[in-house]
Amino acid sequence: MTNTMYLSYAMIYYIQRVYIMCNNSYACVEPTLVDYMTTEVVVMFVGILLHIPFWFFIIRVVDIKKNGGRVRDALKLTSVNTEDKYKINEEDFNEVSDIGDNEDQDVKAERLKVKSLMNCHSVNPPVVMVDKLHKEYLREETKVCDICCKSETEVELKVAIKSLSLAVDAGEVFGLLGHNGAGKTTTMKIITAEEAPTRGRVQIGGENITSNMNSAYRLLGYCPQHDALWKNITVREHLECYASIRGVPYDQIPKLVNMYLSGLQIQEHADKRASQCSGGTRRKLSFAMAMVGNPKVVLLDEPSTGMDPRSKRFLWDTILASFQGSRGAILTTHSMEEADALCSRVGIMVKGELRCLGSTQHLKNLYGAGYTLEMKLRGGDSTPTSDCRDRHSALKEFVSNLFMDATLQESFADRLVFSVPQQSVPSLAKCFMQLEKTKSELDIEEYSFSQTTLEQVFLKFAHEDEIHED
Ligand SMILES: Nc1ncnc2c1ncn2[C@@H]1O[C@H](COP(=O)(O)OP(=O)(O)OP(=O)(O)O)[C@@H](O)[C@H]1O
């Protein structure tokens, strides 16, 4: 009675038994519906009917737990899941606003762009569009009271994504950056319908993922953060399977699969089962599975984690060559170097909120401190002698004459680091000429003059966040 499959097979068996017994009996010509209603058939039928509410309840519990709800919510007939209390109709949706007053100008412009695109049916819609995406989880926390020796369960609301609006155009690789727990993976999971949003809309290639799920997901490739592979299938078979699903002509599959195997340096593991492969090989396979068959949109969640430098180079080259024309991608990474090299635009998320958006150069200009000038004196040692102090003073004087508002950031024996604001550098050519001219005069062994890196911009947002917390 407990096995649902057994019940349906058993019912077919008992129906067939009635039919065979009737055939073997001279008295029976053709069995009627009443003949089929034997005790066994009726019991099996009732058993199947009882299983429907049972399995419905189990699936409801799993769904509610997955969305961060409580098991007791499954018993409530009025509320389908935790999302329901936040559900709003389409008209109210446009009015809902949990956007702060200090919203960044670029983030605001993107939100307005998404709003207008959502309301008109463009011929060339963005490859991915998310509109006011919001995700809340309910977390149960058990707190123990030492005095009264009782434990209490408190339910805490955790906002994982806060009103995220984003449009990724064709030909673009959009970098979603943020510290651990910022909400990048949750965003990816909602786009792939692995998680349901509390509210918000998602379109892939102009197709709404809720109403046109089939057409939307035909366009999508996904490299999840945690490799989703079949344990007993080989590396080659994984790629062949995905190439077939994506409609690669049968005769071209071996060549395509070999291209990915050799590019990612995993030919020697091609016939190993996924469970026998190392973490790095599995990561490479996940990337290849997302890319094979050229899907129009690809979501890459930290694809290069654990890859060796040569394979990383192949990954970068493939990404740079692939997302041109009508294709686009969203990439999450913790490597600022990777984001700088691959992404046409990046957005930095802090605690589920998009805090800035634009090309890497734009963000460096807007949020960067300008330039960093690092100088190393010839023949210096770590002893602060009077000669050393004189040389330092001469160097500081030279830098303050060259750049008006330059400030000394670090000074250690033979090494000095200055921060130079953007507006203090009218011409890079003149600066380098002056530095070269004075190099031997001031005994400078080497120097570097570099612009703010994306990493510094990223750290600025992380730092601001820490200050707010304090
Ligand atoms: N199923 C869940 N239940 C409760 N909270 C969750 C759940 N999934 C994610 N969260 C919370 O949502 C927030 C965002 O998590 P998410 O995994 O999206 O971060 P991330 O930016 O991808 O981090 P990482 O860089 O470490 O992958 C985190 O605070 C996380 O604890």
Side-chain angles (χ1 to χ4, degrees), residues 65-68 137-139 158-161 178-187 189 195 225 301-302 332 334 349:
K65 284 296 284 176
K66 193 166 180 281
N67 287 306
Y137 288 107
L138 288 177
R139 269 195 204 151
K158 165 81 197 166
V159 179
I161 307 174
H179 54 78
N180 294 125
K184 306 177 299 290
T185 301
T186 308
T187 307
K189 282 184 177 172
E195 296 266 357
Q225 192 176 35
D301 198 350
E302 299 178 27
T332 75
H334 285 289
M349 280 180 94

Side-chain angles (χ1 to χ4, degrees), residues 16 42 49 95 116 128-129 176 180 203 217 227 261 268 293 321 388 394 419 457 467:
Q16 202 186 19
V42 171
L49 286 184
E95 302 309 317
S116 71
V128 181
M129 194 149 59
L176 206 52
N180 294 125
Q203 282 188 4
Y217 288 119
D227 307 307
L261 291 174
E268 60 193 283
C388 176
S419 170
V457 176
I467 291 171

Side-chain angles (χ1 to χ4, degrees), residues 111-135:
R111 185 168 51 77
L112 295 175
K113 178 183 159 188
V114 170
K115 192 177 173 186
S116 71
L117 282 169
M118 277 282 179
N119 295 332
C120 70
H121 292 280
S122 161
V123 188
N124 293 315
V127 290
V128 181
M129 194 149 59
V130 299
D131 185 22
K132 288 189 185 164
L133 206 64
H134 195 89
K135 179 72 185 173

Side-chain angles (χ1 to χ4, degrees), residues 219 246 248 256 260 290-298 322-323 327:
L219 308 172
R246 298 242 169 85
V248 177
L256 187 70
Y260 277 103
M291 298 292 289
V292 78
N294 299 337
K296 189 174 168 134
V297 187
V298 181
S322 302
F323 298 105
R327 302 180 65 201

Side-chain angles (χ1 to χ4, degrees), residues 23 42 91 124 131 173 226 253 270 324 331 401 408 412 417 435:
N23 270 359
V42 171
E91 279 165 26
N124 293 315
D131 185 22
V173 176
H226 302 290
I253 291 178
Q324 288 163 3
L331 168 85
N401 286 339
L408 182 69
F412 181 73
V417 182
L435 283 163

Side-chain angles (χ1 to χ4, degrees), residues 271-334:
D271 298 311
K272 275 189 198 168
R273 291 173 182 189
S275 58
Q276 294 167 337
C277 294
S278 68
T281 306
R282 287 208 291 267
R283 202 76 205 113
K284 291 176 189 177
L285 175 58
S286 294
F287 169 71
M289 280 159 63
M291 298 292 289
V292 78
N294 299 337
K296 189 174 168 134
V297 187
V298 181
L299 306 183
L300 300 162
D301 198 350
E302 299 178 27
S304 60
T305 309
M307 275 195 200
D308 55 82
R310 212 167 138 190
S311 307
K312 207 181 267 189
R313 177 56 58 187
F314 175 81
L315 178 133
W316 285 19
D317 289 343
T318 312
I319 292 176
L320 283 173
S322 302
F323 298 105
Q324 288 163 3
S326 63
R327 302 180 65 201
I330 299 183
L331 168 85
T332 75
T333 178
H334 285 289

